[in-house]
Amino acid sequence: MTVGKTPIAIGWRVFGLSVAAMGVVNLALGDFDPGQPVPDNFPARTALAYAAALFLLVAGAATAWRRTASWGAAALAAYYTLIVVILMNGAVVLANDAVYGAYSTSAEMLAIAAAGLIVYAANASIDATLAARLTRIGQLTFGVCALLFGGAHFFYLNLTVPFIPKWLPPSREFWAYATGVAHIAGGIAILTGVQARLAAILLTIMYASFTPLVHIPTLLADPTSHFNWTENVLNLALVGAAWVVADSLARPRHQAARE
C-alpha cells in the first residue's frame, strides 16, 4: 500500500462480501437484481444474468481479500459505473427523466461504484496524491447518493411508511421523515467535510439497523420474492459502502502522529 493512504480493513471486507452475496442471490434466482434493469426481451438475457451474477460473486470475493482487493474493487467500480449506472440505469433515467425514483435507484448502484473506487485507491500501487483524489471523488459521490436516498423518503413517503415496524414509537411516519432527514444531513456532512466521518459512521449504523428492522422481516413474510432477497443483499452492500466511506475519512496514521 502506498505510504500516506488510509488503510481500510473491516469496511472493505463487509462491502466485498455483501456484493459477493448479491452475486450468489442472483445466481440462485437466475436473474438480474432490480437495480440492473435489463429488458425481458433483451437477447440472451438469462445467460447475461448468470454471467453478471458470477462476476459479482468473483469480484466481490476478490475485493474482500487483501491480495486481490485492488483489482476486485476496480472491476466493481468500472462495472457499476459504466454498465449498470450509465448503460442500464441511464436508459431508464432518459425515459423517465421526471420520475424521482429513476435517480434514487441509480444512486444505489452509484454508491456501490463509489465504494469500489475508494477501496481501489486504498489498495492499488498508485501515487498517494492520485489515491487521495480518487478517494475524495468516491466520498463526494457517496454524499450525493445519500442526498438522493433522503429525498426518496419524502417523495415516496407512502411507499416508505409500510416498511417501518408498527411497534416503533412514536409513529411510522416519524421514522420515515427522520431517516430521510438523516440521509440528507449525512450527505451534506460528507460533501462539506463538516463532521463527515461521524456522519458516515451514523449512516453505516442506520443501514445496518434496516436489516433486522425492515429487510429480514420482509423476507420472512415472503421468502419467495426475488425483490425481498435482492433488497436484503443490496442493503448489506450499502452498509459496506458507508463503512468504506467512514474508514476512508479517518486520518492517516502518519498525519495523526505528526499532530
Side-chain angles (χ1 to χ4, degrees), residues 68-212:
T68 55
S70 60
W71 74 257
L76 288 177
Y79 173 75
Y80 272 96
T81 300
L82 300 175
I83 306 298
V84 178
V85 175
I86 295 178
L87 290 182
M88 295 182 182
N89 284 277
V92 175
V93 170
L94 289 176
N96 303 274
D97 60 326
V99 179
Y100 189 88
Y103 299 95
S104 57
T105 298
S106 299
E108 293 175 338
M109 303 296 102
L110 189 58
I112 296 176
L117 182 63
I118 293 172
V119 175
Y120 168 75
N123 288 276
S125 298
I126 57 177
D127 178 74
T129 300
L130 175 59
R133 289 175 180 171
L134 294 177
T135 298
R136 189 55 184 155
I137 290 172
Q139 293 167 350
L140 292 173
T141 300
F142 188 86
V144 172
C145 292
L147 293 178
L148 289 170
F149 298 157
H153 283 228
F154 293 93
F155 272 89
Y156 302 109
L157 184 68
N158 61 321
L159 298 179
T160 303
V161 168
F163 284 102
I164 300 172
K166 294 180 180 180
W167 52 265
L168 273 180
S171 70
R172 300 165 105 184
E173 289 77 11
F174 169 83
W175 288 109
Y177 283 121
T179 50
V181 170
H183 274 109
I184 293 172
I188 292 173
I190 293 170
L191 289 172
T192 61
V194 178
Q195 296 296 329
R197 186 163 189 259
L198 175 61
I201 291 172
L202 293 176
L203 285 175
T204 303
I205 294 171
M206 182 172 69
Y207 295 148
S209 72
F210 290 167
T211 292

